[in-house]
Amino acid sequence: KKPIFKQTTEKRMELKIFQNFTDNYLNFTKNWRHNYNRSMKKNLTYESIEKINYADLYSIYEEMTKLKNINIYFEKKNMKFLIDKCKDSLIYFQCTKDNQLLSARLLGFINENAFDLIAATNKDGRKYYASYFLFTKIFDDFKRKKIKTYDLSGVDPIKNKGVYNFKKGLGSKLIHCIGEWDYSNLPY
């Protein structure tokens, strides 16, 4: 029998990480570079945080889901569980302005590979191009950790064109996969 319920997208983006930021920068699209340059004028602050504050991360994640009118994928207790159990394989980044959280990314890493787990930017963060600023600062951390590839996770070029263009603008490549499926033959 064929699987019935599709769990994830069949498309994801993957980015090769160069050790020299200039090489990464040259792969950005013109629009991505333009938005990054805008972010550099906004007096934003970047932090890579060892002790992850899941409450702050969930708060901005929840705010983003309401702003974009999308379903919550992670519930608060599940996010805390993930962070508690995998903390040695996680990297947390945040961007602030005047001590206000604007954008955050939680990444997993294994050896030379990093992958997106949670990314969120609030309304003010969008106004200040915080995700562009944050992303370029993440490259510095990748260099230190010797990360060579970054799985930017799933994309939907039709239903979520903004996220697709953001990830594509970094110079990432579209990867097609079969996705994840769930099937049960229990009669309900």
Side-chain angles (χ1 to χ4, degrees), residues 31-141:
N31 186 59
W32 212 99
R33 284 192 305 267
H34 175 71
N35 289 333
Y36 164 67
N37 291 332
R38 284 173 156 179
S39 76
M40 294 302 288
K41 299 173 185 171
K42 304 294 182 184
N43 199 28
L44 303 176
T45 308
Y46 153 85
E47 293 177 275
S48 172
I49 299 174
E50 295 292 322
K51 188 169 178 0
I52 302 166
N53 183 331
Y54 77 91
D56 284 350
L57 178 58
Y58 189 79
S59 175
I60 194 169
Y61 173 72
E62 188 176 43
E63 187 178 343
M64 181 205 61
T65 59
K66 289 177 184 171
L67 180 68
K68 291 185 164 190
N69 195 27
I70 56 177
N71 293 329
I72 290 180
Y73 185 75
F74 278 103
E75 291 187 21
K76 196 174 199 173
K77 66 180 180 179
N78 296 339
M79 187 180 288
K80 182 180 181 332
F81 180 81
L82 171 72
I83 291 168
D84 289 345
K85 296 298 178 191
C86 301
K87 63 183 167 231
D88 294 335
S89 299
L90 299 175
I91 315 169
Y92 175 68
F93 304 96
Q94 67 180 31
C95 175
T96 59
K97 180 174 175 67
D98 302 326
N99 293 319
Q100 178 194 359
L101 182 59
L102 301 175
S103 185
R105 287 191 102 82
L106 180 65
L107 313 177
F109 67 94
I110 299 172
N111 300 324
E112 298 175 338
N113 306 298
F115 47 92
D116 257 345
L117 291 171
I118 301 168
T121 300
N122 64 20
K123 188 176 181 179
D124 285 339
R126 292 173 72 163
K127 181 171 75 174
Y128 294 121
Y129 303 95
S131 53
Y132 294 87
F133 177 82
L134 182 60
F135 221 100
T136 55
K137 299 301 181 187
I138 289 172
F139 284 115
D140 294 337
D141 226 63

Side-chain angles (χ1 to χ4, degrees), residues 6 8-16 113-117 148-158 160 163-180:
K6 186 174 171 184
T8 59
T9 179
E10 299 109 16
K11 297 176 182 80
R12 63 181 184 82
M13 303 295 279
E14 189 172 279
L15 181 64
K16 179 179 178 184
N113 306 298
F115 47 92
D116 257 345
L117 291 171
K148 293 186 177 172
T149 60
Y150 181 22
D151 182 341
L152 293 157
S153 190
V155 292
D156 188 331
I158 307 299
N160 203 341
V163 170
Y164 171 72
N165 286 334
F166 177 85
K167 293 177 180 183
K168 182 180 170 192
L170 284 161
S172 60
K173 292 189 170 78
L174 184 63
I175 308 288
H176 294 270
C177 356
I178 62 169
E180 180 182 350

